Amino acid sequence: MRILVLGSGAREHAIVTALLRESEHHQITAAPGNAGIAGVVPVVGLDPTRNDIVTQYAIDNDIELVVIGPEAPLVAGVADSLRKRGIAVFGPGKAAAALEGSKTFAKRIMDDAGVPTGRALRAGTLEDAVAAIDEYGAPYVVKADGLAAGKGVLVTDDRDAAIAHASFWLGHGAVLVEEFLAGQEVSLFLLSDGQSVLPLSPAQDYKRALDNDEGPNTGGMGAYSPLPWLPDGFVDEVIETIALPTIRQLATEGTPFIGLLYCGLILTDNGIRVIEFNARFGDPETQVVLPRLVTPLSGLLFAAATGQLGGLPRPEFSSDVAVTVVLASAGYPDDPITGRPITGLADVTDVTIAHAATALVRGEFVATGGRVLSVVATAPDFAAARAKVYAALDIIQLEGGHYRTDIAKRVAE
Ligand code: AMP
Ligand code: GLY
């Protein structure tokens, strides 16, 4: 199949790796990709958020399936533009992508569909935000309404910090103040063709920058899959009470969700609650979910893109587990220092590297952003997978680079 993968992160590198593993016959191109992706498939330097440019490229190159990795092209309507020209695309149109692009929209859909989520108040002024902050009390949860690249959410016991966060994001739009939900977090990905869904294997992401869940929220510092501690029937319950009602609500409104429904969940004492939806594969969870996928990925994505998921069996996963740890630049997430060389990548064994923010400069990899790469390992158990990942991270050197040392630690013990 001729496949175009849009995006430039470790998630897209993991998607490309999974497609290549499944068949040597795919012709895969990534746009714009990164230095790691460019090492395995051709990349083209086009702006993935430009509807016209992406669509023309797909037409000119007889692309049979476009896989949209990040949220920005979705929210920009790239999927709509491609679909209008009859090109199969894995990724929702602009209207359905608002499930991720607007937290207010997501809450409204959840309310209408009867999906369990925390209480939330939308504030358009600082006065309303402060009132909501005081109504729910500590710990305070304050979120930017729109896309904020992982920086829009603050969870804190510090009332002044909560107010300052609200004040900052009110400069960009509305904010949501939410009830704090306590419990383990789960990321569950569901493939959707607009009517039917198929679940992938659950994963857990580590959102905070530092060990023991300290430090600021980030885009994600590591992940593991599966989650052996989940109660029986968890996936079925999410499908019945969360995913299908959400998909049906969007279909009823004439905005079918075709792509990946990312359910960000908290397992509270009172049951499963949605903390967020995303309209795309999660990063870094994809790096641990796809290496375990046994069913060919392209077939699943194409079936979702063309309305043919109904009746397909659930995707199969290996019994091996997977762990990934993200190497971040000094200063990430606040103010990453970039341009520094990364060494040792050629010397690691028994792991795969998913590049995120790297470039090749005179034959040498350099870090070009905050989250630089993900080191991924699979193994029969978590202790073995962790050992492989951390052995590789001992070899990979990036001045000032940092990573969490406790990814999947609890589950390995
Ligand atoms: P989000 O971008 O909405 O996923 O939020 C980032 C992180 O903030 C989540 O992964 C949670 O760890 C935390 N968080 C978000 N909303 C809540 C909530 N209502 N209660 C507790 N923690 C939350
Ligand atoms: N891992 C969190 C996200 O992809 O949004």
Side-chain angles (χ1 to χ4, degrees):
M1 208 186 297
R2 277 182 304 282
I3 307 174
L4 172 64
V5 177
L6 296 183
S8 62
R11 164 186 49 214
E12 288 75 24
H13 197 174
I15 290 170
V16 167
T17 302
L19 292 170
L20 288 172
R21 177 166 54 87
E22 153 201 325
S23 162
E24 293 145 21
H25 302 301
H26 291 318
Q27 291 173 38
I28 303 168
T29 309
N34 59 38
I37 297 173
V40 288
V41 297
V43 298
V44 305
L46 57 79
D47 177 350
T49 65
R50 285 284 301 272
N51 302 353
D52 50 347
I53 293 175
V54 172
T55 305
Q56 198 56 50
Y57 180 87
I59 291 168
D60 292 346
N61 292 277
D62 291 325
I63 297 295
E64 293 162 279
L65 174 67
V66 179
V67 181
I68 303 184
E71 56 275 22
L74 298 170
V75 170
V78 170
D80 301 296
S81 169
L82 288 161
R83 257 182 218 119
K84 234 177 253 162
R85 301 302 296 264
I87 298 161
V89 44
F90 184 80
K94 184 177 183 157
L99 210 51
E100 169 163 4
S102 162
K103 293 195 190 274
T104 306
F105 177 79
K107 285 284 183 195
R108 205 271 294 158
I109 292 289
M110 284 189 265
D111 280 348
D112 289 350
V115 166
T117 184
R119 291 176 301 146
L121 288 166
R122 184 176 199 268
T125 65
L126 192 56
E127 198 185 349
D128 286 351
V130 174
I133 283 167
D134 288 334
E135 177 169 339
Y136 291 144
Y140 307 101
V141 181
V142 180
K143 302 186 177 184
D145 183 37
L147 293 181
K151 292 181 182 153
V153 178
L154 182 69
V155 180
T156 179
D157 285 319
D158 179 343
R159 182 174 174 275
D160 290 341
I163 293 171
H165 189 76
S167 172
F168 175 80
W169 285 103
L170 280 166
H172 297 77
V175 299
L176 244 68
V177 179
E178 283 188 15
E179 158 190 29
F180 177 80
L181 299 168
Q184 284 293 324
E185 282 188 46
V186 180
S187 301
L188 183 65
F189 299 165
L190 296 112
L191 306 163
S192 170
D193 65 2
Q195 304 290 334
S196 306
V197 298
L198 285 179
L200 301 184
S201 185
Q204 188 169 55
D205 175 19
Y206 288 71
K207 288 265 168 73
R208 299 279 184 155
L210 307 175
D211 281 8
N212 304 314
D213 292 330
E214 286 170 16
N217 261 326
T218 70
M221 294 298 290
Y224 66 93
S225 173
L227 310 183
W229 42 265
L230 277 178
D232 285 345
F234 174 87
V235 170
D236 294 305
E237 186 178 340
V238 175
I239 291 174
E240 292 307 322
T241 65
I242 294 168
L244 281 176
T246 301
I247 294 301
R248 287 184 185 134
Q249 183 66 32
L250 288 164
T252 304
E253 297 188 10
T255 53
F257 188 98
I258 299 164
L260 194 113
L261 180 67
Y262 168 132
C263 297
L265 308 163
I266 290 196
L267 218 60
T268 74
D269 289 343
N270 301 318
I272 305 170
R273 297 283 182 276
V274 174
I275 43 168
E276 67 163 345
F277 283 129
N278 291 317
R280 42 142 186 105
F281 280 102
D283 189 344
E285 295 97 315
T286 301
Q287 290 89 297
V288 288
V289 171
L290 294 187
R292 300 184 48 244
L293 179 65
V294 174
T295 312
L297 178 63
S298 66
L300 293 170
L301 302 183
F302 191 75
T306 53
Q308 301 183 79
L309 278 188
L312 287 188
R314 285 192 184 178
E316 276 180 57
F317 285 85
S318 151
S319 60
D320 274 1
V321 307
V323 172
T324 189
V325 176
V326 170
L327 174 65
S329 289
Y332 177 77
D334 296 330
D335 207 0
I337 299 172
T338 60
R340 291 182 170 167
I342 310 158
T343 59
L345 288 177
D347 305 321
V348 297
T349 50
D350 252 8
V351 294
T352 52
I353 306 292
H355 287 241
T358 64
L360 261 182
V361 179
R362 287 181 290 280
E364 185 179 62
F365 284 109
V366 298
T368 57
R371 290 194 295 172
V372 177
L373 53 83
S374 303
V375 180
V376 187
T378 56
D381 62 67
F382 284 108
R386 273 172 54 81
K388 289 185 192 180
V389 169
Y390 285 112
L393 280 162
D394 273 343
I395 295 170
I396 299 167
Q397 297 298 320
L398 167 66
E399 187 193 340
H402 61 99
Y403 55 84
R404 281 183 62 156
T405 66
D406 62 348
I407 306 299
K409 188 172 178 196
R410 189 177 64 92
V411 82
E413 277 164 359

